[in-house]
Amino acid sequence: MIELRTPAEIEQMRPAGRFVASVLEATAAAAKVGVNLLELDALAHEMIRSAGAESCYIDYHPSFGASPFGKVICTSVNDAVLHGLPFDYTLKDGDLLSLDFAASVDGWVSDSAISLVVGTPREADLRLIRTTERALEAGIAAARPGNRIGDISRAIADVAREQGYSINTDFGGHGVGRTMHGDPHVPNNGRPGRGLPLRPGLVIAIEPWFLETTDRIFTDPDGWTLRSADGSRGSHSEHTVAITDGDPIVLTARS
């Protein structure tokens, strides 16, 4: 079911967006060589407790997950790109880390993701990260009344193809509101002028993710982490966006 939010409800969603942005900023800043993924999860967990927020992940158990997630942030490293389950791994120089976080504040959810290089970067990793960020910007720019979901999808895909990356459509963006995942699905590839018309009040997570040399993925033995089929690295960028009569509002904008 697709729900449209009133301007007042979108205002009520802003605290959740600000909180999610603050957790990603804090965990990204803490992601240094020698830091363990479980320390990043513990930091996010403490911020949730301190803010009186609720985790969207810890009890999350969709059909594609082997069990309840059990942690509060996704930490995907190198060839992992989505749903990275935090485990006892110490970050190394040059690791490509994607952080994905969603939380509920006063009953409203926001969802966002960021990718970064820990320590010394490879140019190929920086190019991959820049491409997902540019694709996210292009998708947000297309999130306007009069357009359709396919216009967002095509804007994302055009940026990826321009840089030579292929696109997986198994996982993509989604509706956000009282729960983390809702309708509509927002794939990262599509045809312009097709799909659901975009109307003011629609709140969606737009989330391009690309792999360096493949579009095929498999699920790690942990039952959650999605990895590239060929071992190449991945990057993931995401914001929660509200469509309005004018410019889209990026609820999870970071400072």
Side-chain angles (χ1 to χ4, degrees):
M1 178 179 175
I2 296 170
E3 297 183 81
L4 300 180
R5 305 300 174 187
T6 66
E9 287 176 322
I10 290 172
E11 287 301 309
Q12 291 168 11
M13 296 182 76
R14 286 185 184 271
R18 288 194 294 265
F19 175 68
V20 166
S22 72
V23 172
L24 284 179
E25 287 174 331
T27 51
K32 307 292 186 184
V33 175
V35 172
N36 194 286
L37 297 182
L38 295 177
E39 293 179 80
L40 298 180
D41 183 72
L43 171 58
H45 208 152
E46 178 55 35
M47 292 182 73
I48 289 171
R49 283 194 294 264
S50 296
E54 294 183 16
S55 170
C56 291
Y57 290 165
I58 197 161
D59 295 321
Y60 187 51
H61 190 188
S63 59
F64 56 81
S67 60
F69 191 71
K71 298 291 190 284
V72 300
I73 191 168
C74 295
T75 55
S76 303
V77 181
N78 296 333
D79 64 322
V81 66
L82 294 175
H83 307 162
L85 184 65
F87 68 106
D88 184 12
Y89 175 82
T90 300
L91 291 167
K92 299 177 176 60
D93 187 50
D95 278 344
L96 197 168
L97 172 66
S98 296
L99 299 167
D100 188 359
F101 181 72
S104 174
V105 176
D106 296 328
W108 294 105
V109 171
S110 275
D111 189 4
S112 187
I114 187 173
S115 292
L116 60 124
V117 177
V118 177
T120 310
R122 300 188 316 161
E123 180 53 39
D125 290 342
L126 296 179
R127 176 172 171 264
L128 183 61
I129 292 170
R130 285 195 299 265
T131 301
T132 58
E133 291 173 344
R134 284 182 51 227
L136 177 57
E137 291 169 0
I140 293 170
R144 293 177 176 275
N147 284 348
R148 292 175 176 263
I149 290 290
D151 294 299
I152 296 175
S153 302
R154 181 57 179 267
I156 291 169
D158 283 348
V159 174
R161 291 203 176 96
E162 178 186 274
Q163 296 299 316
Y165 299 118
S166 56
I167 302 156
N168 178 294
T169 55
D170 292 344
F171 295 90
H174 49 87
V176 182
R178 293 293 189 181
T179 60
M180 177 171 59
H181 287 149
D183 293 329
H185 176 58
V186 187
N188 289 324
N189 191 12
R191 296 172 61 185
R194 303 295 292 270
L196 179 78
L198 303 179
R199 296 171 57 191
L202 182 66
V203 181
I204 53 177
I206 301 173
E207 53 176 315
W209 60 276
F210 308 134
L211 298 164
E212 193 171 11
T213 57
T214 186
D215 58 12
R216 294 186 300 115
I217 54 177
F218 71 94
T219 304
D220 192 84
D222 67 14
W224 275 99
T225 305
L226 297 179
R227 298 185 181 276
S228 67
D230 64 357
S232 63
R233 298 188 180 208
S235 176
H236 179 199
S237 297
E238 177 182 16
H239 274 309
T240 296
V241 178
I243 296 170
T244 74
D245 289 317
D247 292 336
I249 298 172
V250 181
L251 294 168
T252 49
R254 294 179 287 275
S255 59

mmCIF file of all heavy atoms in Angstrom, residues 147-183:
data_model
loop_
_atom_site.group_PDB
_atom_site.id
_atom_site.type_symbol
_atom_site.label_atom_id
_atom_site.label_comp_id
_atom_site.label_asym_id
_atom_site.label_seq_id
_atom_site.Cartn_x
_atom_site.Cartn_y
_atom_site.Cartn_z
ATOM 1 N N ASN A 147 6.928 13.498 -12.813
ATOM 2 C CA ASN A 147 7.759 12.369 -13.208
ATOM 3 C C ASN A 147 7.161 11.075 -12.657
ATOM 4 O O ASN A 147 6.163 11.083 -11.933
ATOM 5 C CB ASN A 147 9.184 12.540 -12.701
ATOM 6 C CG ASN A 147 9.974 13.539 -13.520
ATOM 7 O OD1 ASN A 147 9.545 13.952 -14.594
ATOM 8 N ND2 ASN A 147 11.132 13.946 -13.013
ATOM 9 N N ARG A 148 7.803 9.973 -12.997
ATOM 10 C CA ARG A 148 7.395 8.656 -12.525
ATOM 11 C C ARG A 148 8.602 7.939 -11.916
ATOM 12 O O ARG A 148 9.744 8.379 -12.073
ATOM 13 C CB ARG A 148 6.796 7.835 -13.664
ATOM 14 C CG ARG A 148 5.456 8.385 -14.171
ATOM 15 C CD ARG A 148 4.947 7.626 -15.384
ATOM 16 N NE ARG A 148 3.623 8.103 -15.795
ATOM 17 C CZ ARG A 148 2.472 7.526 -15.459
ATOM 18 N NH1 ARG A 148 2.491 6.418 -14.721
ATOM 19 N NH2 ARG A 148 1.321 8.026 -15.866
ATOM 20 N N ILE A 149 8.305 6.818 -11.249
ATOM 21 C CA ILE A 149 9.389 6.034 -10.644
ATOM 22 C C ILE A 149 10.456 5.709 -11.683
ATOM 23 O O ILE A 149 11.657 5.761 -11.408
ATOM 24 C CB ILE A 149 8.839 4.733 -10.020
ATOM 25 C CG1 ILE A 149 8.010 5.042 -8.762
ATOM 26 C CG2 ILE A 149 9.979 3.757 -9.686
ATOM 27 C CD1 ILE A 149 8.808 5.534 -7.574
ATOM 28 N N GLY A 150 10.035 5.388 -12.897
ATOM 29 C CA GLY A 150 10.997 5.049 -13.946
ATOM 30 C C GLY A 150 11.964 6.162 -14.262
ATOM 31 O O GLY A 150 13.091 5.907 -14.709
ATOM 32 N N ASP A 151 11.562 7.411 -14.046
ATOM 33 C CA ASP A 151 12.466 8.534 -14.284
ATOM 34 C C ASP A 151 13.589 8.559 -13.248
ATOM 35 O O ASP A 151 14.736 8.876 -13.574
ATOM 36 C CB ASP A 151 11.681 9.843 -14.261
ATOM 37 C CG ASP A 151 10.699 9.943 -15.417
ATOM 38 O OD1 ASP A 151 11.147 9.923 -16.573
ATOM 39 O OD2 ASP A 151 9.488 10.024 -15.154
ATOM 40 N N ILE A 152 13.261 8.240 -11.995
ATOM 41 C CA ILE A 152 14.298 8.118 -10.967
ATOM 42 C C ILE A 152 15.245 6.974 -11.321
ATOM 43 O O ILE A 152 16.471 7.122 -11.289
ATOM 44 C CB ILE A 152 13.669 7.883 -9.580
ATOM 45 C CG1 ILE A 152 12.832 9.089 -9.150
ATOM 46 C CG2 ILE A 152 14.754 7.582 -8.542
ATOM 47 C CD1 ILE A 152 12.071 8.879 -7.842
ATOM 48 N N SER A 153 14.656 5.833 -11.659
ATOM 49 C CA SER A 153 15.453 4.645 -11.972
ATOM 50 C C SER A 153 16.386 4.897 -13.149
ATOM 51 O O SER A 153 17.564 4.514 -13.123
ATOM 52 C CB SER A 153 14.523 3.469 -12.273
ATOM 53 O OG SER A 153 13.659 3.206 -11.187
ATOM 54 N N ARG A 154 15.864 5.521 -14.196
ATOM 55 C CA ARG A 154 16.685 5.776 -15.380
ATOM 56 C C ARG A 154 17.797 6.771 -15.083
ATOM 57 O O ARG A 154 18.923 6.637 -15.585
ATOM 58 C CB ARG A 154 15.800 6.288 -16.521
ATOM 59 C CG ARG A 154 16.568 6.573 -17.813
ATOM 60 C CD ARG A 154 17.333 5.346 -18.316
ATOM 61 N NE ARG A 154 18.032 5.646 -19.542
ATOM 62 C CZ ARG A 154 17.519 5.438 -20.759
ATOM 63 N NH1 ARG A 154 16.293 4.927 -20.889
ATOM 64 N NH2 ARG A 154 18.215 5.726 -21.830
ATOM 65 N N ALA A 155 17.509 7.792 -14.262
ATOM 66 C CA ALA A 155 18.541 8.771 -13.916
ATOM 67 C C ALA A 155 19.707 8.097 -13.198
ATOM 68 O O ALA A 155 20.876 8.411 -13.450
ATOM 69 C CB ALA A 155 17.935 9.870 -13.045
ATOM 70 N N ILE A 156 19.393 7.156 -12.301
ATOM 71 C CA ILE A 156 20.432 6.403 -11.593
ATOM 72 C C ILE A 156 21.237 5.560 -12.571
ATOM 73 O O ILE A 156 22.474 5.554 -12.566
ATOM 74 C CB ILE A 156 19.789 5.512 -10.511
ATOM 75 C CG1 ILE A 156 19.224 6.373 -9.383
ATOM 76 C CG2 ILE A 156 20.790 4.488 -9.967
ATOM 77 C CD1 ILE A 156 18.351 5.616 -8.406
ATOM 78 N N ALA A 157 20.533 4.830 -13.441
ATOM 79 C CA ALA A 157 21.198 3.925 -14.379
ATOM 80 C C ALA A 157 22.095 4.671 -15.361
ATOM 81 O O ALA A 157 23.174 4.181 -15.731
ATOM 82 C CB ALA A 157 20.155 3.106 -15.132
ATOM 83 N N ASP A 158 21.669 5.857 -15.792
ATOM 84 C CA ASP A 158 22.478 6.614 -16.746
ATOM 85 C C ASP A 158 23.849 6.952 -16.169
ATOM 86 O O ASP A 158 24.869 6.888 -16.870
ATOM 87 C CB ASP A 158 21.748 7.904 -17.140
ATOM 88 C CG ASP A 158 20.623 7.668 -18.143
ATOM 89 O OD1 ASP A 158 20.545 6.558 -18.703
ATOM 90 O OD2 ASP A 158 19.833 8.613 -18.361
ATOM 91 N N VAL A 159 23.885 7.310 -14.884
ATOM 92 C CA VAL A 159 25.161 7.635 -14.248
ATOM 93 C C VAL A 159 26.043 6.387 -14.167
ATOM 94 O O VAL A 159 27.250 6.437 -14.452
ATOM 95 C CB VAL A 159 24.938 8.232 -12.846
ATOM 96 C CG1 VAL A 159 26.267 8.423 -12.117
ATOM 97 C CG2 VAL A 159 24.198 9.555 -12.948
ATOM 98 N N ALA A 160 25.447 5.254 -13.786
ATOM 99 C CA ALA A 160 26.227 4.018 -13.687
ATOM 100 C C ALA A 160 26.805 3.623 -15.041
ATOM 101 O O ALA A 160 27.990 3.287 -15.163
ATOM 102 C CB ALA A 160 25.349 2.901 -13.143
ATOM 103 N N ARG A 161 25.977 3.639 -16.064
ATOM 104 C CA ARG A 161 26.430 3.197 -17.392
ATOM 105 C C ARG A 161 27.473 4.139 -17.970
ATOM 106 O O ARG A 161 28.393 3.707 -18.681
ATOM 107 C CB ARG A 161 25.232 3.074 -18.324
ATOM 108 C CG ARG A 161 24.311 1.925 -17.957
ATOM 109 C CD ARG A 161 23.478 1.481 -19.150
ATOM 110 N NE ARG A 161 22.662 0.320 -18.787
ATOM 111 C CZ ARG A 161 21.399 0.393 -18.390
ATOM 112 N NH1 ARG A 161 20.803 1.573 -18.307
ATOM 113 N NH2 ARG A 161 20.726 -0.693 -18.076
ATOM 114 N N GLU A 162 27.330 5.408 -17.671
ATOM 115 C CA GLU A 162 28.324 6.381 -18.131
ATOM 116 C C GLU A 162 29.713 6.022 -17.637
ATOM 117 O O GLU A 162 30.721 6.254 -18.312
ATOM 118 C CB GLU A 162 27.915 7.761 -17.627
ATOM 119 C CG GLU A 162 28.872 8.877 -17.967
ATOM 120 C CD GLU A 162 28.439 10.164 -17.281
ATOM 121 O OE1 GLU A 162 27.604 10.884 -17.846
ATOM 122 O OE2 GLU A 162 28.925 10.425 -16.163
ATOM 123 N N GLN A 163 29.794 5.426 -16.437
ATOM 124 C CA GLN A 163 31.072 5.037 -15.843
ATOM 125 C C GLN A 163 31.425 3.571 -16.084
ATOM 126 O O GLN A 163 32.425 3.073 -15.565
ATOM 127 C CB GLN A 163 31.042 5.325 -14.342
ATOM 128 C CG GLN A 163 30.919 6.801 -14.006
ATOM 129 C CD GLN A 163 32.081 7.610 -14.543
ATOM 130 O OE1 GLN A 163 33.240 7.199 -14.437
ATOM 131 N NE2 GLN A 163 31.779 8.753 -15.151
ATOM 132 N N GLY A 164 30.580 2.874 -16.830
ATOM 133 C CA GLY A 164 30.894 1.493 -17.200
ATOM 134 C C GLY A 164 30.477 0.441 -16.197
ATOM 135 O O GLY A 164 30.908 -0.711 -16.302
ATOM 136 N N TYR A 165 29.608 0.800 -15.240
ATOM 137 C CA TYR A 165 29.154 -0.173 -14.256
ATOM 138 C C TYR A 165 27.832 -0.801 -14.697
ATOM 139 O O TYR A 165 26.957 -0.113 -15.243
ATOM 140 C CB TYR A 165 28.961 0.483 -12.883
ATOM 141 C CG TYR A 165 30.212 1.086 -12.315
ATOM 142 C CD1 TYR A 165 30.294 2.456 -12.052
ATOM 143 C CD2 TYR A 165 31.329 0.302 -12.030
ATOM 144 C CE1 TYR A 165 31.438 3.017 -11.525
ATOM 145 C CE2 TYR A 165 32.482 0.855 -11.513
ATOM 146 C CZ TYR A 165 32.536 2.215 -11.260
ATOM 147 O OH TYR A 165 33.679 2.773 -10.747
ATOM 148 N N SER A 166 27.678 -2.086 -14.435
ATOM 149 C CA SER A 166 26.409 -2.757 -14.687
ATOM 150 C C SER A 166 25.520 -2.623 -13.455
ATOM 151 O O SER A 166 25.979 -2.215 -12.384
ATOM 152 C CB SER A 166 26.629 -4.230 -15.044
ATOM 153 O OG SER A 166 27.364 -4.893 -14.026
ATOM 154 N N ILE A 167 24.244 -2.984 -13.590
ATOM 155 C CA ILE A 167 23.255 -2.660 -12.556
ATOM 156 C C ILE A 167 22.466 -3.894 -12.173
ATOM 157 O O ILE A 167 21.910 -4.589 -13.030
ATOM 158 C CB ILE A 167 22.291 -1.565 -13.053
ATOM 159 C CG1 ILE A 167 23.074 -0.308 -13.439
ATOM 160 C CG2 ILE A 167 21.260 -1.223 -11.991
ATOM 161 C CD1 ILE A 167 22.367 0.551 -14.425
ATOM 162 N N ASN A 168 22.393 -4.147 -10.881
ATOM 163 C CA ASN A 168 21.562 -5.219 -10.338
ATOM 164 C C ASN A 168 20.251 -4.604 -9.847
ATOM 165 O O ASN A 168 20.269 -3.574 -9.169
ATOM 166 C CB ASN A 168 22.295 -5.909 -9.179
ATOM 167 C CG ASN A 168 21.490 -7.013 -8.531
ATOM 168 O OD1 ASN A 168 20.455 -6.753 -7.923
ATOM 169 N ND2 ASN A 168 21.970 -8.236 -8.623
ATOM 170 N N THR A 169 19.132 -5.218 -10.184
ATOM 171 C CA THR A 169 17.831 -4.668 -9.769
ATOM 172 C C THR A 169 17.131 -5.566 -8.740
ATOM 173 O O THR A 169 15.942 -5.387 -8.472
ATOM 174 C CB THR A 169 16.910 -4.458 -10.979
ATOM 175 O OG1 THR A 169 16.786 -5.686 -11.701
ATOM 176 C CG2 THR A 169 17.465 -3.383 -11.905
ATOM 177 N N ASP A 170 17.859 -6.533 -8.162
ATOM 178 C CA ASP A 170 17.246 -7.381 -7.135
ATOM 179 C C ASP A 170 16.870 -6.567 -5.904
ATOM 180 O O ASP A 170 15.853 -6.844 -5.250
ATOM 181 C CB ASP A 170 18.195 -8.507 -6.723
ATOM 182 C CG ASP A 170 18.425 -9.522 -7.824
ATOM 183 O OD1 ASP A 170 17.636 -9.541 -8.786
ATOM 184 O OD2 ASP A 170 19.400 -10.287 -7.726
ATOM 185 N N PHE A 171 17.712 -5.597 -5.555
ATOM 186 C CA PHE A 171 17.453 -4.742 -4.398
ATOM 187 C C PHE A 171 17.589 -3.293 -4.830
ATOM 188 O O PHE A 171 18.448 -2.959 -5.651
ATOM 189 C CB PHE A 171 18.442 -5.038 -3.267
ATOM 190 C CG PHE A 171 18.301 -6.413 -2.684
ATOM 191 C CD1 PHE A 171 19.028 -7.477 -3.204
ATOM 192 C CD2 PHE A 171 17.440 -6.651 -1.624
ATOM 193 C CE1 PHE A 171 18.898 -8.753 -2.673
ATOM 194 C CE2 PHE A 171 17.304 -7.914 -1.088
ATOM 195 C CZ PHE A 171 18.034 -8.975 -1.611
ATOM 196 N N GLY A 172 16.730 -2.436 -4.266
ATOM 197 C CA GLY A 172 16.773 -1.026 -4.623
ATOM 198 C C GLY A 172 16.078 -0.187 -3.580
ATOM 199 O O GLY A 172 15.962 -0.578 -2.412
ATOM 200 N N GLY A 173 15.588 0.961 -3.999
ATOM 201 C CA GLY A 173 14.916 1.854 -3.085
ATOM 202 C C GLY A 173 13.508 1.387 -2.758
ATOM 203 O O GLY A 173 13.004 0.413 -3.322
ATOM 204 N N HIS A 174 12.840 2.138 -1.878
ATOM 205 C CA HIS A 174 11.561 1.672 -1.335
ATOM 206 C C HIS A 174 10.851 2.802 -0.609
ATOM 207 O O HIS A 174 11.460 3.816 -0.251
ATOM 208 C CB HIS A 174 11.807 0.520 -0.353
ATOM 209 C CG HIS A 174 12.871 0.838 0.656
ATOM 210 N ND1 HIS A 174 12.611 1.485 1.848
ATOM 211 C CD2 HIS A 174 14.216 0.631 0.626
ATOM 212 C CE1 HIS A 174 13.751 1.641 2.509
ATOM 213 N NE2 HIS A 174 14.748 1.133 1.786
ATOM 214 N N GLY A 175 9.571 2.599 -0.371
ATOM 215 C CA GLY A 175 8.828 3.541 0.440
ATOM 216 C C GLY A 175 9.276 3.523 1.891
ATOM 217 O O GLY A 175 9.743 2.490 2.393
ATOM 218 N N VAL A 176 9.167 4.671 2.560
ATOM 219 C CA VAL A 176 9.549 4.803 3.972
ATOM 220 C C VAL A 176 8.450 5.593 4.682
ATOM 221 O O VAL A 176 7.902 6.550 4.121
ATOM 222 C CB VAL A 176 10.890 5.555 4.128
ATOM 223 C CG1 VAL A 176 11.286 5.638 5.598
ATOM 224 C CG2 VAL A 176 11.989 4.885 3.340
ATOM 225 N N GLY A 177 8.161 5.201 5.895
ATOM 226 C CA GLY A 177 7.155 5.940 6.665
ATOM 227 C C GLY A 177 7.127 5.477 8.103
ATOM 228 O O GLY A 177 8.038 5.728 8.875
ATOM 229 N N ARG A 178 6.076 4.750 8.457
ATOM 230 C CA ARG A 178 5.986 4.172 9.800
ATOM 231 C C ARG A 178 6.847 2.919 9.920
ATOM 232 O O ARG A 178 7.189 2.498 11.024
ATOM 233 C CB ARG A 178 4.531 3.833 10.123
ATOM 234 C CG ARG A 178 3.621 5.054 10.258
ATOM 235 C CD ARG A 178 3.983 5.886 11.473
ATOM 236 N NE ARG A 178 2.998 6.937 11.738
ATOM 237 C CZ ARG A 178 3.087 7.802 12.724
ATOM 238 N NH1 ARG A 178 4.128 7.778 13.541
ATOM 239 N NH2 ARG A 178 2.146 8.716 12.900
ATOM 240 N N THR A 179 7.172 2.318 8.777
ATOM 241 C CA THR A 179 8.048 1.155 8.741
ATOM 242 C C THR A 179 9.204 1.437 7.790
ATOM 243 O O THR A 179 9.158 2.378 6.991
ATOM 244 C CB THR A 179 7.305 -0.112 8.286
ATOM 245 O OG1 THR A 179 6.791 0.110 6.961
ATOM 246 C CG2 THR A 179 6.162 -0.444 9.232
ATOM 247 N N MET A 180 10.233 0.591 7.849
ATOM 248 C CA MET A 180 11.436 0.835 7.057
ATOM 249 C C MET A 180 11.230 0.530 5.580
ATOM 250 O O MET A 180 11.727 1.269 4.724
ATOM 251 C CB MET A 180 12.591 -0.008 7.610
ATOM 252 C CG MET A 180 13.877 0.103 6.822
ATOM 253 S SD MET A 180 15.277 -0.692 7.618
ATOM 254 C CE MET A 180 14.723 -2.391 7.768
ATOM 255 N N HIS A 181 10.538 -0.540 5.266
ATOM 256 C CA HIS A 181 10.369 -0.943 3.875
ATOM 257 C C HIS A 181 8.899 -0.994 3.512
ATOM 258 O O HIS A 181 8.118 -1.724 4.135
ATOM 259 C CB HIS A 181 11.000 -2.328 3.632
ATOM 260 C CG HIS A 181 12.482 -2.313 3.628
ATOM 261 N ND1 HIS A 181 13.246 -3.381 4.039
ATOM 262 C CD2 HIS A 181 13.363 -1.357 3.264
ATOM 263 C CE1 HIS A 181 14.524 -3.082 3.933
ATOM 264 N NE2 HIS A 181 14.626 -1.855 3.459
ATOM 265 N N GLY A 182 8.513 -0.225 2.524
ATOM 266 C CA GLY A 182 7.140 -0.232 2.039
ATOM 267 C C GLY A 182 7.115 0.024 0.547
ATOM 268 O O GLY A 182 8.155 0.157 -0.104
ATOM 269 N N ASP A 183 5.923 0.094 0.008
ATOM 270 C CA ASP A 183 5.762 0.419 -1.410
ATOM 271 C C ASP A 183 5.950 1.932 -1.591
ATOM 272 O O ASP A 183 5.666 2.708 -0.678
ATOM 273 C CB ASP A 183 4.368 0.013 -1.877
ATOM 274 C CG ASP A 183 4.184 -1.502 -1.856
ATOM 275 O OD1 ASP A 183 5.185 -2.215 -2.068
ATOM 276 O OD2 ASP A 183 3.054 -1.940 -1.610
#
